[in-house]
Amino acid sequence: MKIAIDAMGGDHAPEAIVEGSLLARSQCSADLVLVGDEKPIREVLGRYPDASSVEVVHTAEAITMEEAGPIAIRLKRSASICLAMRLLADGGADAVVSAGNSSATVAASKNMVGLFPGLRRPVLAVPFPTQNGKPVMLDAGAHPEAHTVHLAQSAALAHVFLKVTEGLARPRIGLLNIGQEPGKGTRAICRAFALLNRSSLNFVGNVEPLALFAGATDAVVCEGFVGNVVVKMYEGFSESLLADLKARMEDSRPGECGGLGRVFDGFHQKYHYLSVGGAPLVGVAKPVVVAHGRSERTAIASAVVLAARLAEERIPQRMGEELEKDSALADFKHYNAVLILEKLKKRWRFS
Amino acid sequence: MKIAIDAMGGDHAPEAIVEGSLLARSQCSADLVLVGDEKPIREVLGRYPDASSVEVVHTAEAITMEEAGPIAIRLKRSASICLAMRLLADGGADAVVSAGNSSATVAASKNMVGLFPGLRRPVLAVPFPTQNGKPVMLDAGAHPEAHTVHLAQSAALAHVFLKVTEGLARPRIGLLNIGQEPGKGTRAICRAFALLNRSSLNFVGNVEPLALFAGATDAVVCEGFVGNVVVKMYEGFSESLLADLKARMEDSRPGECGGLGRVFDGFHQKYHYLSVGGAPLVGVAKPVVVAHGRSERTAIASAVVLAARLAEERIPQRMGEELEKDSALADFKHYNAVLILEKLKKRWRFS
């Protein structure tokens, strides 16, 4: 099994990417293909005695964080992320990992590798650690805005994703919202509620953040902007709360806090988003993992291990098979057409 | 000074509302006017010996949580929230507090009391406790969706709000976003960035959640859906994290956790959103406070105290004066017209 890694993507590229990839080899049996500028990559590899067998695909081009993904992949056809995706598409690799410009990764995976038939967009799926389970949040940032069909299709993706990865027969899917009633939230969410209510999914309705923490659902659907803000808030919350609590404890019982270090460490590891490493780009026909741009080498290592697991267990392929059986994606297209027709009839005063 | 309170609004109305209002009397010198169904209100008042002097304005109508606010206030003209707003508008009260249907409160305040000249919408302003200060987040849920002008006007409101309440000469205003670069986020946010960049405000650009926790800004602007999700997440986060940490500590050092109770309590009080009690509806020409629907009596008491403070310090009136001097609201209208014109020119290929 081969994992293609975009060695030029991320704030600490290529050093952290190369080191993280090497670190991952002890946790999984994948072969690595590092895609990027060969000279600095070989320089980092040279520091490790057992790294001479690692394959490197050279390219001088890379897409920066500031570029608009869909345009950049057309202008820079030999950028590291494009070559990595091309490898995945042609069978030269079994999975791709990138910590680079995520809009470029999304666009390249859609154009080069392809999505499930009938699907409009892939989404980032991030597990959300709480006291009562780990609901998956999607979209966590692949696309900032979402229309009705995008939200409904995300729900169908969540359904097959949890079926395949967690073995749940009928995972509970909710819509992240600011109230439980059907009329709450943005217009896209109200319409998605109507679509999902008619579907064959186990739709539990609108889920308020508090209910999410209480374990009301296995997956929660939202637009990418909201999901990304929430995930990043999580990071900030846990760090800020923990630092504050530590300071308070030290004030209250000087000298005693040291012994609690282990508790804090375990706590931090559970809630710290970075330790997750990467999120699968769900909806692409083959395994793609998007890592946080800020990723250090341990986060990159977890992202590579995740990619290896997705490839080994054939998660995207099995999701595709489930989706075909299910016809949920096609149903949403049909239902949405019906909704639009109803709206137009009303506007034109047809009866 | 008189505070009109919508006694029929909220999950625990009228009991918690009446009791909370009475509780507030020990913390501020305001006179109370309870608006709602007189019989149950008098019943609760009867339990307190010193409560006979409280004024009650009777009405049998009330707006429920499920109704659409803007329609409900037209159909139920003598609903408790409408009568309370009418009192405020006519000078019979100096502030209004409601824990009821917030869209009805927003619509009633806009229609009956009125907004600052040139302003399209009021917003909910909620302080966001972090280790490094307490940035104000707006809109925290008055309207789920926001266009460019709404976001820009919220920034102008944040400017005068912090100027008047915190005495900051040039408060730092940011846009809540998922990246720092100007092109990030939704289209409305990208356009608002352009508007704010040309304005006279102290605009610090896009603020990522992590930067918010690091104290990068005094106020952060977002659409109501995002703000409301974030505020409610805060509630869930702090409760869930704290419960988890407590359990871990008890596992690690049985019997020792009791002594830390005081630390946890203080911590909880700082981060627990409910203890805030209520948020000012910023942009209305007179003081209006929206309380959480779930509010228990202590939260209602804080909301009433907040309303009394807003009225006593003439916060809305002083904000109105600052806005007139500033002309920021009018500027945004002008800039937005320019932006739209530029876009149309481009589409029609004018030069």
Side-chain angles (χ1 to χ4, degrees):
Chain A
M1 197 180 43
K2 262 190 189 171
I3 315 277
I5 296 148
D6 172 13
M8 308 317 283
D11 300 349
H12 307 291
E15 190 156 347
I17 313 294
V18 176
E19 290 184 347
S21 308
L22 292 177
L23 203 60
R25 290 194 306 174
S26 63
Q27 296 162 51
C28 68
S29 61
D31 293 324
L32 307 178
V33 185
L34 295 170
V35 185
D37 197 350
E38 190 159 11
K39 203 168 153 256
I41 295 175
R42 285 275 173 222
E43 232 173 73
V44 183
L45 286 176
R47 293 180 215 154
Y48 296 83
D50 57 338
S52 53
S53 69
V54 172
E55 199 180 320
V56 177
V57 172
H58 173 75
T59 173
E61 261 185 331
I63 293 172
T64 63
M65 287 299 199
E66 288 75 31
E67 288 176 87
I71 298 166
I73 60 159
R74 284 169 176 80
L75 296 178
K76 297 183 172 176
R77 283 176 186 276
S78 58
S80 53
I81 183 65
C82 296
L83 291 194
M85 283 296 173
R86 183 62 62 201
L87 275 176
L88 180 61
D90 297 344
D94 302 293
V96 163
V97 174
S98 175
N101 184 321
S102 64
S103 70
T105 309
V106 170
S109 64
K110 190 175 166 181
N111 286 5
M112 297 176 192
V113 182
L115 307 181
F116 297 135
L119 183 67
R120 300 244 186 117
R121 290 170 164 188
V123 292
L124 279 175
V126 169
F128 196 81
T130 71
Q131 252 213 315
N132 307 290
K134 232 179 182 180
V136 173
M137 174 169 267
L138 34 73
D139 178 15
H143 297 92
E145 289 176 88
H147 295 307
T148 310
V149 180
H150 301 141
L151 292 172
Q153 289 197 333
S154 298
L157 285 177
H159 175 77
V160 290
F161 180 68
L162 287 171
K163 211 168 170 178
V164 169
T165 56
E166 305 287 331
L168 301 172
R170 285 179 60 67
R172 296 162 303 163
I173 318 276
L175 270 172
L176 184 65
N177 209 334
I178 55 178
Q180 281 201 311
E181 303 82 14
K184 288 276 178 175
T186 61
R187 271 164 302 172
I189 293 175
C190 292
R191 285 168 55 86
F193 186 100
L195 279 187
L196 289 169
N197 234 356
R198 301 194 201 187
S199 78
S200 59
L201 302 177
N202 185 6
F203 177 56
V204 297
N206 290 327
V207 174
E208 281 194 275
L210 269 180
L212 193 62
F213 284 96
T217 180
D218 300 310
V220 72
V221 171
C222 58
E223 62 169 17
F225 186 85
V226 174
N228 202 273
V229 163
V230 166
V231 165
K232 284 179 176 163
M233 278 281 167
Y234 217 102
E235 223 178 325
F237 271 123
S238 60
E239 265 178 47
S240 172
L241 289 177
L242 217 57
D244 195 354
L245 197 61
K246 257 185 183 167
R248 276 162 192 263
M249 288 191 152
E250 265 159 18
D251 279 353
S252 143
R253 325 180 102 203
E256 284 232 354
C257 198
L260 292 169
R262 210 166 36 85
V263 176
F264 277 130
D265 284 349
F267 184 80
H268 196 244
Q269 210 174 359
K270 173 172 174 190
Y271 286 99
H272 200 263
Y273 168 69
L274 288 178
S275 69
V276 174
L281 192 60
V282 173
V284 184
K286 293 181 177 182
V288 175
V289 170
V290 173
H292 205 304
R294 262 184 232 104
S295 294
E296 297 286 352
R297 57 184 189 168
T298 50
I300 294 293
S302 342
V304 173
V305 171
L306 173 64
R309 193 173 73 89
L310 293 176
E312 212 165 70
E313 298 180 13
R314 298 180 55 253
I315 302 291
Q317 291 84 346
R318 282 161 61 202
M319 281 179 66
E321 288 157 20
E322 286 290 337
L323 270 179
E324 248 173 63
K325 273 191 259 168
D326 218 290
S327 81
L329 284 182
D331 282 0
F332 286 137
K333 269 189 165 170
H334 167 70
Y335 285 140
N336 196 47
V338 171
L339 271 190
I340 291 173
L341 211 63
E342 277 172 12
K343 195 171 142 193
L344 290 178
K345 268 186 186 169
K346 213 165 149 191
R347 187 177 298 165
W348 296 334
R349 297 179 205 291
F350 271 162
S351 61
Chain B
M1 195 181 42
K2 262 190 190 170
I3 315 277
I5 296 148
D6 172 11
M8 308 317 283
D11 300 348
H12 307 290
E15 190 156 347
I17 313 293
V18 176
E19 289 183 346
S21 308
L22 291 177
L23 203 60
R25 290 194 306 174
S26 63
Q27 297 162 50
C28 67
S29 61
D31 293 324
L32 307 177
V33 186
L34 295 168
V35 185
D37 197 351
E38 191 160 10
K39 205 169 150 257
I41 295 174
R42 284 277 173 220
E43 233 173 71
V44 182
L45 286 176
R47 293 179 215 157
Y48 296 84
D50 58 337
S52 54
S53 69
V54 172
E55 199 179 320
V56 177
V57 172
H58 174 74
T59 174
E61 262 185 332
I63 293 172
T64 64
M65 286 299 196
E66 288 74 31
E67 290 177 85
I71 298 166
I73 61 159
R74 284 168 176 81
L75 296 177
K76 297 183 171 175
R77 283 175 188 278
S78 59
S80 53
I81 183 65
C82 296
L83 291 194
M85 283 297 172
R86 183 63 61 202
L87 275 175
L88 181 60
D90 297 344
D94 302 293
V96 163
V97 174
S98 176
N101 185 318
S102 64
S103 70
T105 308
V106 170
S109 64
K110 190 174 167 181
N111 286 5
M112 297 175 191
V113 182
L115 307 181
F116 297 135
L119 182 66
R120 299 243 186 118
R121 293 170 161 188
V123 291
L124 279 176
V126 169
F128 196 81
T130 71
Q131 253 213 315
N132 307 291
K134 232 179 184 182
V136 173
M137 172 171 269
L138 33 73
D139 178 17
H143 298 92
E145 290 176 88
H147 296 306
T148 310
V149 180
H150 302 140
L151 292 173
Q153 289 197 332
S154 297
L157 285 177
H159 175 78
V160 290
F161 181 68
L162 287 171
K163 211 167 170 178
V164 168
T165 57
E166 305 288 332
L168 301 173
R170 284 179 61 67
R172 296 162 303 163
I173 318 278
L175 271 172
L176 184 64
N177 209 335
I178 56 178
Q180 281 201 312
E181 303 82 14
K184 288 276 178 177
T186 61
R187 271 164 302 174
I189 293 174
C190 291
R191 286 167 54 86
F193 187 100
L195 279 187
L196 289 169
N197 235 355
R198 301 194 200 185
S199 77
S200 59
L201 301 177
N202 184 7
F203 177 57
V204 296
N206 289 328
V207 174
E208 280 193 275
L210 270 181
L212 192 62
F213 284 95
T217 179
D218 300 311
V220 72
V221 170
C222 58
E223 63 169 16
F225 186 86
V226 174
N228 202 273
V229 163
V230 166
V231 165
K232 284 178 176 164
M233 279 281 166
Y234 217 102
E235 223 179 323
F237 271 123
S238 59
E239 266 178 46
S240 172
L241 289 178
L242 217 56
D244 194 356
L245 196 62
K246 256 184 184 170
R248 277 161 191 263
M249 287 191 151
E250 266 159 16
D251 279 353
S252 143
R253 324 179 105 202
E256 282 233 352
C257 197
L260 293 170
R262 212 166 35 85
V263 176
F264 277 128
D265 286 349
F267 184 80
H268 196 246
Q269 210 174 359
K270 173 173 174 189
Y271 286 99
H272 200 264
Y273 168 66
L274 288 177
S275 70
V276 173
L281 192 60
V282 173
V284 184
K286 291 180 177 184
V288 175
V289 171
V290 173
H292 206 303
R294 261 184 233 104
S295 294
E296 298 285 352
R297 58 184 188 168
T298 50
I300 294 292
S302 339
V304 173
V305 172
L306 173 63
R309 192 174 72 91
L310 292 177
E312 213 165 70
E313 297 180 12
R314 299 179 57 252
I315 302 291
Q317 291 82 347
R318 282 161 59 203
M319 281 179 67
E321 289 158 19
E322 286 290 337
L323 270 178
E324 248 171 64
K325 273 191 258 168
D326 218 289
S327 81
L329 285 182
D331 282 358
F332 287 136
K333 273 188 163 169
H334 167 69
Y335 284 138
N336 196 45
V338 171
L339 272 190
I340 290 173
L341 212 63
E342 277 171 12
K343 196 171 141 193
L344 290 178
K345 268 186 184 168
K346 213 166 148 188
R347 186 177 299 166
W348 296 334
R349 298 181 203 290
F350 270 165
S351 61

